[in-house]
Amino acid sequence: MSCTIGAMTSPQQQPTAPSAPAHKDWAHRSTMGIGGGLLLCAIIGWLGIDALVHGDGRTPWLALAGMLLVLPIVIAFTLRPAVFVNEQRLRVRNPFRVITLPWGKVSGLRSGYSNEVFSDAGTKYQLWAIPVSLRARKRANRQQARLQMEAAGITSRPGGFASAFTAPRPGDSDEPTRAATDKIMDDLRELHEGHAAVAQGEVTIRWAYEILAPALVGAIALAVLLATG
């Protein structure tokens, strides 16, 4: 006959696991922005380190000041932007600010030439991490129009003439009917509509001093070096 120790342990003696966060974030970032940012950082780092090691006179100091100025700005506009969402709030990490908006304080989201969120006070914040691709949007719109024509019994020839007897081209049905960033905005609108009534709070804005401080130091140092040269 066997027994387990766990069956004899009182609830007060059982170890408790750390509780998971009540609201997990979904993160949205631009893969093209991240790729371009990493490439630019690598080029700037390579040129800057080469100038620091092999430069003469004031060149290493100019290179150091330039890197302090340029690298934070490149990181701010490429690697930093992100949008974090959950059932309670929308947190927008833009190049120089972090804006947290509870869904109850969001009045709407708009997709035009850029994706934007509006607070109930009428303030507009651009979503840098969710850029608009007009090319992808046009391609998705063409596919959606093609599907509507096929549903009506009309398809289009490659030359653009409509016919009820032309077969669709291979791979047409695999194209998306919504651009990727437009789908993300649709998801954000659904979260807003479903949680605006219960997710209350205040809008908070925090400046990205970790970006602004080194860039300001680099700008001052570069200006002093150039002025005294």
Side-chain angles (χ1 to χ4, degrees):
M1 185 175 74
S2 63
C3 63
T4 60
I5 297 177
M8 301 297 295
T9 306
S10 63
Q12 291 80 5
Q13 297 172 337
Q14 292 179 357
T16 57
S19 57
H23 304 282
K24 184 179 179 181
D25 283 343
W26 295 279
H28 299 287
R29 292 183 174 91
S30 171
T31 54
M32 291 185 63
I34 292 174
L38 291 174
L39 179 61
L40 285 174
C41 288
I43 294 174
I44 294 169
W46 173 56
L47 294 175
I49 293 173
D50 182 70
L52 285 173
V53 174
H54 301 102
D56 298 325
R58 294 156 49 90
T59 301
W61 294 106
L62 289 169
L64 181 60
M67 290 175 64
L68 277 175
L69 172 62
V70 175
L71 273 176
I73 294 176
V74 170
I75 292 172
F77 284 95
T78 58
L79 304 180
R80 176 180 168 81
V83 172
F84 303 95
V85 295
N86 60 29
E87 292 86 353
Q88 288 295 313
R89 52 104 181 103
L90 170 69
R91 184 160 62 95
V92 182
R93 193 170 71 188
N94 279 342
F96 302 116
R97 294 189 299 177
V98 178
I99 306 102
T100 302
L101 302 103
W103 288 119
K105 292 294 184 178
V106 175
S107 64
L109 295 113
R110 184 175 68 183
S111 297
Y113 291 104
S114 63
N115 290 315
E116 302 157 344
V117 59
F118 290 84
S119 69
D120 60 352
T123 308
K124 178 181 70 175
Y125 304 102
Q126 186 174 345
L127 305 180
W128 281 83
I130 310 177
V132 171
S133 172
L134 296 178
R135 181 179 180 182
R137 183 179 289 173
K138 290 179 180 179
R139 185 168 60 247
N141 290 340
R142 287 196 300 268
Q143 172 63 4
Q144 187 174 15
R146 187 180 299 119
L147 291 176
Q148 291 175 352
M149 293 173 63
E150 291 176 1
I154 303 173
T155 56
S156 59
R157 292 191 181 96
F161 297 98
S163 171
F165 306 101
T166 305
R169 289 177 292 175
D172 282 350
S173 59
D174 297 333
E175 295 181 9
T177 56
R178 291 283 284 168
T181 54
D182 289 340
K183 289 181 180 178
I184 293 175
M185 294 298 290
D186 291 341
D187 294 338
L188 296 183
R189 292 187 184 95
E190 289 183 7
L191 280 170
H192 174 230
E193 293 172 0
H195 300 90
V198 296
Q200 300 298 320
E202 296 298 328
V203 177
T204 61
I205 299 176
R206 182 183 69 82
W207 287 93
Y209 295 107
E210 65 274 15
I211 296 292
L212 296 172
L216 180 61
V217 171
I220 294 174
L222 189 62
V224 170
L225 289 170
L226 294 175
T228 58

